[in-house]
């Protein structure tokens, strides 16, 4: 079954200008897809539409076969774990443990089940020892890992990573790359870094000015110099 | 078992890294272990006792101070430590020092200086109550970490929205301070000096852009909450209830303070 299916998606800014126009694609379970495109191409808008935070002017988004609308947004978005570019935006609870528990607790998980979910998620990103710490006392790499644990605790079908390399030193970046390679979930990687995309993904979606200009093997993008320059990817 | 592993992991990292604010003093005293909402309630009860004690009852203030000293002792905090932390009250009580000079008649002569009797009483009253109150607050802050104080507030039925706002404030104060710091550096490297009318205008625009950045961050944080299932109610993931023994332990000393206040009013 498709994890995400997008058909004829259009999103308009308040002025009526299209941020996304006629975007269609689907992502199957276990796929690793890079979402590429220059600044302002509509990547973040697309991601927020997938999660039903933004509602499209036209077209549909389906998550695990269910149509995303106001009514189902709450139930459906738990299947897509979005990790934000700046972990500071995502780690808002007083301690790491509380933060990782935030998602599952919102979906009614409590008691021992909640503790188990939190422990499992923290162990998955090797951050068990950070449980009692306050988010603002963590290093960049630690914050990123904890932010990933926060969505893993919700047991999502897919992870959507928005520029996971930002703010990381090379060692931190290697840790995150290794971790992402190791996770079994379907992966959508939003990035400007072609080398990171190459390590993690085999398929690429390229957005430019709100339109999908490529959907296919990532190699085809990487090996086409003219295409890279035309769409400001290199 | 899990707890032991947790303590081992916790001791492996340096203690200063662990603690969420500078006022907290690491320890395992009975006062540290008490559930946070019991401590917050105890602070409130003690303060009520202090403020309702008539200012003429010197002995009662002595008794309050003794209660505070016992509590500090229980928390394994030393007198020099308490005094140092309590200095924070100085700017706030400074104006009390003027009252004896500015207060209304009748006046009395002390060492050849004419002082207002009413002003002296006012100064004493402010100083005594503020000192006891500050001491009690220092005690709470030294034995309870900020996240626990927040949990304590919400367990005491403080509206969730207020607790959430306080929590966000604590969480993002550092982030905003960092942003302000970077903006100041950016201004300084382009030759900005904090002088003159131009400086004022530059500072105003820094304040403005800091506000806009904070607002935008607020929007991003809200989006991050929504995608993890936030629907307007903050979850309380790991609240553990206090048992009766916690309440009696925590409220014993403050209730002594209230008894003292009642006696002082009646006698």
């Amino acid at each position: 079954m498709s994890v995400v299916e997008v058909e004829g998606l259009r999103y308009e800014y308040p002025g009526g200008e299209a941020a996304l126009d006629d975007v269609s694609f689907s992502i199957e379970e276990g796929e690793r897809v890079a979402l590429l495109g220059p600044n302002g191409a509509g990547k973040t808008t697309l991601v927020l539409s997938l999660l039903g935070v933004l509602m499209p002017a036209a077209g549909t988004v389906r998550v695990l076969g269910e149509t995303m609308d106001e009514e189902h947004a709450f139930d459906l978005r738990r299947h897509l774990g979005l990790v934000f570019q700046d972990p500071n935006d995502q780690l808002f609870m007083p301690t790491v443990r509380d933060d990782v528990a935030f998602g599952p607790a919102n979906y009614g998980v409590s008691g021992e089940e909640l503790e188990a979910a939190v422990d499992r998620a923290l162990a998955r990103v090797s951050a068990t020892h950070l449980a009692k710490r306050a988010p603002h006392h963590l290093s960049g790499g630690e914050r990123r890992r904890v932010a990933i644990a926060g969505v893993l605790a919700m047991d999502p079908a897919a992870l959507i990573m928005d520029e996971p390399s930002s703010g990381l030193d090379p060692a931190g970046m290697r840790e995150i790359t290794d971790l992402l390679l190791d996770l079994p979930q379907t992966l959508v990687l939003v990035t400007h870094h072609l080398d990171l995309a190459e390590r993690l993904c085999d398929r690429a979606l390229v957005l430019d000015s709100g339109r999908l200009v490529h959907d296919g093997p990532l190699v085809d993008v990487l090996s086409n110099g003219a295409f890279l320059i035309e769409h400001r990817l290199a | 078992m899990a707890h032991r592993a947790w303590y081992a992991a916790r001791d492996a990292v340096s203690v200063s890294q662990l603690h969420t604010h500078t006022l907290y003093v690491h320890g395992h005293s009975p006062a540290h272990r008490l559930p946070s909402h019991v401590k917050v309630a105890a602070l409130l009860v003690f303060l009520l006792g202090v403020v309702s004690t008539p200012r003429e009852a010197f002995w009662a203030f002595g008794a309050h101070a003794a209660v505070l000293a016992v509590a500090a002792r229980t928390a394994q905090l030393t007198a020099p430590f308490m005094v140092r932390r309590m200095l924070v009250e100085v700017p706030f009580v400074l104006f009390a020092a003027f009252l004896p000079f500015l207060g209304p008649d009748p006046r009395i002569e002390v060492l050849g200086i004419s002082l207002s009797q009413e002003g002296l009483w006012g100064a004493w009253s402010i100083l005594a109550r503020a000192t006891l109150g500050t001491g009690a607050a220092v005690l709470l802050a030294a034995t309870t970490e900020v996240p626990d104080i927040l949990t304590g507030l919400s367990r005491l039925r403080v509206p969730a929205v207020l607790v959430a706002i306080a929590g966000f404030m604590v969480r993002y104060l550092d982030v905003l301070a960092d942003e302000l710091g970077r903006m100041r550096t950016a201004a300084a490297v382009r030759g900005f000096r904090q002088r003159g009318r131009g400086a004022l205008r530059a500072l105003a625009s820094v304040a403005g852009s800091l506000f806009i950045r904070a607002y935008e961050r607020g929007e991003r944080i809200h989006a991050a909450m929504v995608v993890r299932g936030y629907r307007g109610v903050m979850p309380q993931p790991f609240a553990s209830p206090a048992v009766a023994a916690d309440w009696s332990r925590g409220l014993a000393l403050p209730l002594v303070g209230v008894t003292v206040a009642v006696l002082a009013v009646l006698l």
Side-chain angles (χ1 to χ4, degrees):
Chain A
M1 196 197 330
S2 303
V3 177
V4 178
E5 220 177 327
V6 175
E7 237 176 73
L9 190 70
R10 181 182 169 86
Y11 181 83
E12 290 172 0
Y13 290 124
E17 195 193 342
L20 293 173
D21 191 15
D22 197 21
V23 173
S24 302
F25 62 89
S26 78
I27 295 174
E28 305 302 312
E29 210 179 315
E31 272 197 290
R32 297 173 161 269
V33 182
L35 177 56
L36 308 173
N39 284 339
K43 303 189 294 289
T44 303
T45 307
L46 175 57
V47 165
L48 292 178
S49 306
L50 296 184
L51 281 122
V53 177
L54 301 176
M55 284 297 170
T60 53
V61 172
R62 274 190 288 276
V63 177
L64 298 174
E66 295 268 349
T67 302
M68 176 71 82
D69 51 27
E70 299 276 1
E71 197 192 329
H72 296 100
F74 172 76
D75 293 322
L76 289 182
R77 62 171 61 117
R78 74 175 303 180
H79 302 300
L80 305 178
L82 172 59
V83 181
F84 284 68
Q85 177 166 358
D86 182 352
N88 269 333
D89 294 342
Q90 198 178 333
L91 305 177
F92 43 77
M93 295 292 272
T95 67
V96 166
R97 185 161 172 262
D98 285 340
D99 203 275
V100 175
F102 180 84
N106 279 328
Y107 285 95
V109 181
S110 64
E112 284 177 17
E113 205 187 332
L114 181 61
E115 300 213 10
V118 171
D119 291 347
R120 229 178 8 249
L122 282 174
R124 196 70 196 75
V125 301
S126 318
T128 306
H129 61 295
L130 303 176
K132 276 278 163 177
R133 301 269 288 271
H136 58 274
H137 286 173
L138 304 180
S139 75
E142 288 170 338
R143 275 180 216 193
R144 181 75 59 187
R145 270 155 46 208
V146 169
I148 294 173
V151 304
L152 286 181
M154 298 166 66
D155 197 17
L159 270 184
I160 304 177
M161 302 285 310
D162 191 354
E163 206 62 271
S165 57
S166 80
L168 293 185
D169 58 17
M173 179 131 166
R174 178 167 38 77
E175 276 175 28
I176 294 299
T177 316
D178 290 345
L179 172 64
L180 291 177
L181 276 172
D182 220 33
L183 290 174
Q185 277 87 357
T186 306
L187 177 72
V188 178
L189 173 71
V190 183
T191 188
H192 288 299
H193 292 268
L194 298 177
D195 47 348
L196 182 68
E198 194 179 11
R199 276 208 67 189
L200 292 173
C201 306
D202 28 44
R203 177 179 161 201
L205 298 170
V206 180
L207 270 181
D208 195 359
S209 310
R211 291 180 158 273
L212 197 61
V213 293
H214 173 90
D215 179 1
L218 178 63
V219 243
D220 293 357
V221 175
L222 298 178
S223 58
N224 187 341
F227 181 88
L228 289 175
I229 288 169
E230 185 192 343
H231 297 292
R232 302 177 61 85
L233 297 175
Chain B
M1 214 35 226
H3 265 85
R4 200 171 307 158
W6 183 73
Y7 274 113
R10 165 187 163 133
D11 292 338
V13 287
S14 99
V15 165
S16 65
Q17 271 185 314
L18 259 167
H19 296 306
T20 47
H21 68 127
T22 45
L23 298 179
Y24 183 76
V25 180
H26 181 73
H28 300 284
S29 76
H32 284 80
R33 283 197 303 268
L34 220 49
S36 56
H37 56 302
V38 173
K39 283 188 271 189
V40 173
L43 172 66
L44 203 66
V45 170
F46 179 73
L47 291 182
L48 283 175
V50 169
V51 296
S52 43
T53 302
R55 61 189 186 183
E56 291 82 5
F58 290 113
W59 66 272
F61 284 99
H64 287 317
V67 165
L68 194 61
V70 171
R73 182 84 198 214
T74 315
Q76 292 160 6
L77 300 171
T78 63
F81 169 87
M82 290 294 288
V83 170
R84 233 179 14 253
R85 288 283 165 89
M86 283 161 69
L87 287 179
V88 71
E89 73 164 322
V90 168
F92 298 97
V93 295
L94 211 55
F95 85 100
F98 294 105
L99 288 179
F101 301 101
L102 304 174
D105 291 339
R107 305 181 85 82
I108 50 166
E109 290 275 318
V110 179
L111 301 170
I113 307 166
S114 161
L115 298 175
S116 156
Q117 222 169 334
E118 183 57 31
L120 278 172
W121 276 117
W124 149 252
S125 164
I126 290 172
L127 197 66
R129 292 174 214 264
T131 307
L132 288 166
T134 312
V138 165
L139 203 59
L140 174 71
T143 58
T144 321
E145 297 200 66
V146 169
D148 295 334
I149 293 180
L150 293 173
T151 320
L153 289 175
S154 69
R155 304 271 287 289
L156 291 171
R157 305 273 193 283
V158 173
V161 175
L162 294 184
V163 178
I165 290 173
F168 282 119
M169 195 185 76
V170 172
R171 166 67 183 91
Y172 286 102
L173 209 56
D174 287 352
V175 175
L176 281 179
D178 281 355
E179 252 166 46
L180 180 62
R182 282 197 298 274
M183 282 158 72
R184 287 176 64 166
T185 311
V189 296
R190 284 189 290 157
F192 173 69
R193 284 184 292 180
Q194 283 178 337
R195 244 181 271 152
R197 203 183 297 164
L200 218 58
R201 203 164 48 217
L203 284 179
S205 80
V206 164
S209 45
L210 194 64
F211 173 77
I212 291 173
R213 285 186 194 200
Y215 186 84
E216 287 173 347
R217 187 175 289 281
E219 287 190 320
R220 293 200 302 273
I221 294 165
H222 182 253
M225 292 169 76
V226 167
V227 301
R228 284 200 284 158
Y230 177 73
R231 286 197 289 186
V233 182
M234 289 300 275
Q236 302 290 326
F238 300 112
S240 58
V243 294
D246 289 328
W247 282 110
S248 49
R249 261 202 300 274
L251 291 182
L253 283 172
L255 285 176
V256 171
V258 169
T259 313
V260 166
V262 170
L263 286 176
V265 171
L266 293 179
L267 293 179

